[in-house]
Amino acid sequence: MKSSPETPSAVAEPAAEEPDAVPEPAGSRAKVRWLVAGGVVVVLASAMAASGVYAMAGDIPRGTEVLGIDLGGKSRAEAAVLVGAEAATRSTRPVRINVDGREVTLQATAVGLMIDVPATIDAAVGSGPRLFGSRRLPPVVRLDEKKLEGALRKQIPGGRISKKKPGIAFAGVAPVAAYPQAGLDLDRGVAADSVRAAWPVGDVAVVPLVERTPVTTKAQVDELIAGLAKPAVAAPVTVTVGAVKFQLTPAAIAKGLVFRSDADGRLTPAIDAVKLRAAAAREFAKAETPAQQAKISLAGGAPKIVASTPGKVVELGDELLAVLPKPAPRTITATLKDTPASGTDAELARLGIKERVSTFTTYFTGGAKSPRSQNIITIAKAVDGAIVKPGQTFSLNGHTGERGYHNGYKDAPVIVNGVLEPGVAGGASQFTTTLFNAAYYAGLQDVEHKPHSFYFSRYPAVIESTIFYPTLDLKFKNTTPYGILIDTATTGRSVTVSMWGTRIYDSVKTVYGPRRNHTSPPTVHREDGPKCLTSSGLPGFTQDAWRVIRKDGREVERKKFTWRYDPEPRFVCGEEE
């Protein structure tokens, strides 16, 4: 068929040929795969390295929390500031404890509770890296386990603790056993761990009683009695110290040999040197020399430090314990150990006692040999040389103890329930008044004093004080930055108290107001007898007195003292006619 000129023929053009394929070298496809994989590894390694750098930035790993504080990325110093501030706010937080079902609250300071900031930071630094999330670390908490145990035991009702510790005591020289018994008890370690965990986060620490069995058994207690306690007191022990020999009697050994039971009920024998020395004081004194404390002497009218000298004491312990199970005769050789004086010369020098800052004298009648005068002299000697350190409060009753016949005091007139009658240590109030005035004019702080109920003309009105053991005391506080030495002196008609230290005030004076509210003395008839003391009577009145202290040219204190004196009755012995 002829093709139409209008219709082109449908002849297909040949397809373009693809270029010849280049043959692929062996292994090249694997190489491409490795290149791709290697790229991924490099990317991952780079990402991991970047993550590691992020996680370990600073001294403390990211995501580390302590006490609710994010420490991640912080330096040690930065973390210590943050944790320290938070620990300070929590240090005043009391700890609540449920001990054996009973909730109690203890002050943190009472049991030594504290957050150890340096140890807490060390734990945070060593906690290891963390890429995701956070890690809450507990703070390191310190406490005094013995104090905690003691405080908790006071809160446990009697009878709840059924565990019995073993023990051996002496009745005279006869050993007496206390046998152990398993039962409920407080576990110190459990209690401490519970408090450490609960206190920092404000939770209640739960401390149950647990079943415990003492370590030492009944048979072991019997062995200790047979092998040590009985032979220990069967005979004396001779102690040789150089050329000196002395003996420890069975009675003294029984006082010094103790058997201590710890929290686990483990019974251990020991020598209590303090108890042994007290029981055999005269024997030890044959070989020992007591230490002489440094003191201040006022010879020549000026304070001078007299140096301390060390003492020598007999040292006993394991060697005595080792010989006690043996039969008589028993001997040991002991050595002398130097023991320093408790106060040093340098400590005294730092007190700055260099001049007299006040002095006060009161007068009495009867001569030095009257019972009342003797009491004044006795108490003055007891106080002479006392030192009151800065910030310390001096108590006259605390310093002298009970004033009785045993330490040289005699019967003399005292006021008892508003009545004059003989009593031991009568006259001590005159010394008290003298001491009070010396402290008053030294500018020391009045802590406790009470004037007499009746006025006596030998004392300054209002500015005076009585004393009665143990209910009435004289106390004053050294509020100066220097030490105070109390110097006393007596004659047959006077007692003087001087305060030595460093003068810090220009002057201390008393300004009196007028006497008011006068009352007349009544006449009182008393039953005649040895307790009845007559008196002519004195009027009563009220008066004010101001202590005025000046320093650096200006008034720094004006303190008011007020007292109302009762009228002293005119006491008459015998019935009214």
Side-chain angles (χ1 to χ4, degrees):
M1 178 182 68
K2 284 186 178 179
S3 59
S4 169
E6 293 80 16
T7 307
S9 45
V11 177
E13 296 182 359
E17 293 183 354
E18 292 182 3
D20 291 338
V22 179
E24 183 177 8
S28 64
R29 191 175 298 275
K31 182 176 181 181
V32 170
R33 287 196 298 269
W34 275 108
L35 287 173
V36 173
V40 173
V41 170
V42 169
V43 170
L44 287 175
S46 300
M48 290 179 68
S51 298
V53 169
Y54 169 81
M56 292 303 297
D59 292 324
I60 299 179
R62 298 283 182 177
T64 303
E65 289 186 11
V66 176
L67 296 174
I69 306 169
D70 183 3
L71 301 180
K74 299 288 192 298
S75 68
R76 279 180 177 269
E78 291 170 331
V81 170
L82 293 172
V83 174
E86 183 64 22
T89 63
R90 300 187 187 215
S91 64
T92 57
R93 175 186 295 171
V95 56
R96 294 181 299 148
I97 306 172
N98 185 311
V99 54
D100 191 32
R102 181 181 183 184
E103 186 164 321
V104 299
T105 300
L106 301 176
Q107 295 302 315
T109 53
V111 292
L113 261 176
M114 59 171 287
I115 294 173
D116 187 333
V117 175
T120 299
I121 301 305
D122 287 344
V125 170
S127 63
R130 188 176 183 86
L131 297 180
F132 307 103
S134 62
R135 178 191 290 113
R136 295 181 180 178
L137 292 181
V140 178
V141 177
R142 308 293 185 197
L143 61 82
D144 189 318
E145 293 191 4
K146 286 186 178 180
K147 287 184 178 179
L148 175 65
E149 180 184 15
L152 292 182
R153 286 192 181 278
K154 292 178 182 178
Q155 304 298 328
I156 300 172
R160 281 293 296 154
I161 293 180
S162 55
K163 187 194 88 169
K164 291 188 177 0
K165 293 182 180 181
I168 300 173
F170 286 92
V173 293
V176 179
Y179 291 115
Q181 177 181 307
L184 291 177
D185 193 15
L186 182 71
D187 188 303
R188 181 195 296 175
V190 170
D193 289 344
S194 180
V195 169
R196 287 191 186 98
W199 175 67
V201 294
D203 288 344
V204 177
V206 178
V207 180
L209 298 185
V210 296
E211 186 75 18
R212 302 188 72 192
T213 301
V215 172
T216 299
T217 65
K218 178 180 182 297
Q220 290 171 327
V221 173
D222 289 335
E223 289 174 7
L224 279 171
I225 289 177
L228 176 58
K230 283 186 176 179
V233 293
V237 174
T238 300
V239 182
T240 301
V241 186
V244 178
K245 291 179 183 281
F246 64 88
Q247 278 199 334
L248 299 176
T249 65
I253 294 170
K255 294 287 187 183
L257 177 59
V258 296
F259 293 83
R260 297 175 176 137
S261 183
D262 63 15
D264 294 322
R266 181 179 292 102
L267 195 60
T268 306
I271 298 298
D272 189 315
V274 174
K275 291 181 178 179
L276 181 65
R277 181 168 278 102
R282 290 187 179 180
E283 293 298 304
F284 277 96
K286 295 176 181 178
E288 294 182 336
T289 304
Q292 298 296 321
Q293 309 301 325
K295 62 181 182 179
I296 295 178
S297 170
L298 294 175
K304 180 182 178 181
I305 295 176
V306 178
S308 62
T309 57
K312 291 186 178 294
V313 297
V314 176
E315 195 171 30
L316 287 176
D318 292 342
E319 64 274 18
L320 176 59
L321 193 61
V323 82
L324 291 181
K326 298 178 181 179
R330 303 180 296 187
T331 62
I332 59 173
T333 300
T335 58
L336 287 174
K337 177 185 177 182
D338 286 341
T339 176
S342 58
T344 67
D345 313 351
E347 288 172 342
L348 275 186
R350 284 195 293 269
L351 292 178
I353 298 173
K354 63 181 183 180
E355 60 190 334
R356 187 164 61 186
V357 296
S358 71
T359 187
F360 199 81
T361 300
T362 61
Y363 297 88
F364 51 83
T365 60
K369 292 186 179 180
S370 75
R372 186 175 185 278
S373 302
Q374 284 293 304
N375 291 336
I376 294 172
I377 293 170
T378 300
I379 191 172
K381 287 181 177 178
V383 175
D384 188 39
I387 291 178
V388 188
K389 295 180 180 179
Q392 185 179 4
T393 296
F394 179 87
S395 161
L396 185 53
N397 278 342
H399 185 82
T400 67
E402 185 175 4
R403 295 170 292 276
Y405 304 121
H406 63 284
N407 45 14
Y409 293 93
K410 305 177 186 301
D411 282 332
V414 297
I415 300 175
V416 180
N417 297 323
V419 176
L420 278 172
E421 61 182 48
V424 65
S429 287
Q430 174 144 1
F431 174 80
T432 306
T433 286
T434 314
L435 177 62
F436 172 70
N437 273 268
Y440 172 96
Y441 285 108
L444 306 183
Q445 179 184 328
D446 171 37
V447 176
E448 178 184 342
H449 86 283
K450 183 181 180 182
H452 289 78
S453 54
F454 303 147
Y455 172 66
F456 298 100
S457 59
R458 59 179 173 266
Y459 306 144
V462 183
I463 311 303
E464 48 100 355
S465 180
T466 186
I467 196 164
F468 190 83
Y469 188 91
T471 54
L472 296 178
D473 198 3
L474 168 64
K475 295 180 181 178
F476 54 84
K477 183 177 182 180
N478 180 5
T479 49
T480 78
Y482 305 99
I484 292 290
L485 169 70
I486 304 175
D487 175 49
T488 70
T490 58
T491 69
R493 57 186 294 271
S494 68
V495 56
T496 299
V497 177
S498 300
M499 300 287 185
W500 292 75
T502 293
R503 187 180 298 276
I504 63 172
Y505 300 121
D506 300 342
S507 65
V508 180
K509 295 181 179 180
T510 300
V511 176
Y512 278 103
R515 295 181 181 183
R516 62 186 186 276
N517 301 331
H518 294 271
T519 52
S520 300
T523 299
V524 176
H525 289 266
R526 299 184 61 201
E527 182 180 352
D528 199 3
K531 285 192 173 183
C532 182
L533 299 176
T534 62
S535 68
S536 57
L538 290 169
F541 59 89
T542 300
Q543 192 169 17
D544 301 321
W546 288 264
R547 181 170 73 168
V548 180
I549 300 179
R550 297 185 65 83
K551 181 181 180 182
D552 300 329
R554 64 186 183 88
E555 184 177 307
V556 294
E557 179 186 289
R558 180 175 288 260
K559 182 177 180 180
K560 183 180 180 181
F561 294 81
T562 300
W563 190 248
R564 180 183 64 82
Y565 288 103
D566 296 330
E568 181 190 350
R570 185 175 70 90
F571 289 112
V572 177
C573 297
E575 296 295 330
E576 185 176 0
E577 296 180 356

